[in-house]
């Protein structure tokens, strides 16, 4: 069975919910291999718990997939992530040669794909994946809004 983008994004959203329950910003990511039709890894955002500013869900997914396939080049693999990747993650995606990026919610403040530096449009970008935006965007946006609303309540 070939899963749909929505089905795979729902799995990434499950990982995002786990991140939120752990006190991390609720972002989840997964790497999918369309040739085998298998999810290689599913991860949650973890900069706070790991004390690592680079532990964004996308970076953790790329690291795990590289270990699984035994190569840092992930050319034929797809990355699903619940929020538009930032410039750092877009750079990692380019260097890993991810074939396709599918993300849920746009990030006008911190995104690096359709917003900000628009990393994949830069002449210095080595690899440009196919990008699909907006898959289950409302679900991701609502999860993020609820997380930050709850955070603001606990600080007052």
């Amino acid at each position: 069975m070939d899963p749909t983008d929505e089905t795979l994004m729902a799995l990434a959203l499950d990982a995002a919910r786990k991140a939120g329950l752990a006190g991390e910003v609720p972002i989840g990511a997964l790497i999918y291999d369309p040739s085998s039709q298998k999810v290689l890894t599913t991860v949650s955002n973890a900069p706070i718990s790991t004390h690592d500013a680079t532990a964004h869900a996308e970076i953790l997914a790329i690291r795990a997939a590289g270990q699984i396939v035994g190569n840092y080049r992930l050319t034929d693999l797809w990355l699903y992530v619940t929020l538009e990747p930032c410039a750092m993650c877009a750079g990692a995606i380019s260097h890993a040669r991810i074939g396709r990026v599918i993300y849920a919610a746009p990030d006008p403040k911190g995104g690096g794909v359709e917003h900000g530096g628009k990393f994949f449009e830069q002449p210095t970008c080595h690899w440009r994946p196919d990008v699909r935006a907006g898959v289950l965007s409302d679900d991701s946006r609502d999860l993020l809004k609820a997380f930050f609303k709850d955070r603001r309540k606990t600080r007052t």
Side-chain angles (χ1 to χ4, degrees), residues 63-109:
R63 287 177 185 162
Q67 292 297 310
I68 291 166
V69 303
N71 195 334
Y72 74 100
R73 296 268 169 100
L74 308 175
T75 308
D76 297 322
L77 303 181
W78 298 356
L79 170 70
Y80 288 78
V81 63
T82 60
L83 185 66
E84 177 183 352
C86 69
M88 174 185 71
C89 292
I93 290 163
S94 177
H95 284 281
R97 310 296 200 262
I98 296 286
R100 187 167 181 246
V101 174
I102 303 91
Y103 70 86
D107 186 0
K109 291 181 182 177

Side-chain angles (χ1 to χ4, degrees), residues 12-127:
L13 281 164
D14 288 343
R17 287 182 194 92
K18 289 178 187 172
L21 291 172
E24 300 278 358
V25 175
I27 300 169
L30 67 82
I31 301 277
Y32 174 72
D33 180 355
S35 64
S36 68
Q37 298 184 354
K38 291 184 180 178
V39 174
L40 299 182
T41 186
T42 305
V43 298
S44 301
N45 212 33
I48 297 168
S49 62
T50 61
H51 310 290
D52 180 356
T54 68
H56 292 194
E58 300 95 308
I59 300 292
L60 297 176
I62 289 168
R63 287 177 185 162
Q67 292 297 310
I68 291 166
V69 303
N71 195 334
Y72 74 100
R73 296 268 169 100
L74 308 175
T75 308
D76 297 322
L77 303 181
W78 298 356
L79 170 70
Y80 288 78
V81 63
T82 60
L83 185 66
E84 177 183 352
C86 69
M88 174 185 71
C89 292
I93 290 163
S94 177
H95 284 281
R97 310 296 200 262
I98 296 286
R100 187 167 181 246
V101 174
I102 303 91
Y103 70 86
D107 186 0
K109 291 181 182 177
V113 176
E114 290 185 344
H115 298 90
K118 299 181 181 181
F119 188 88
F120 301 133
E121 294 179 20
Q122 299 307 310
T124 55
C125 180
H126 301 293
W127 177 267

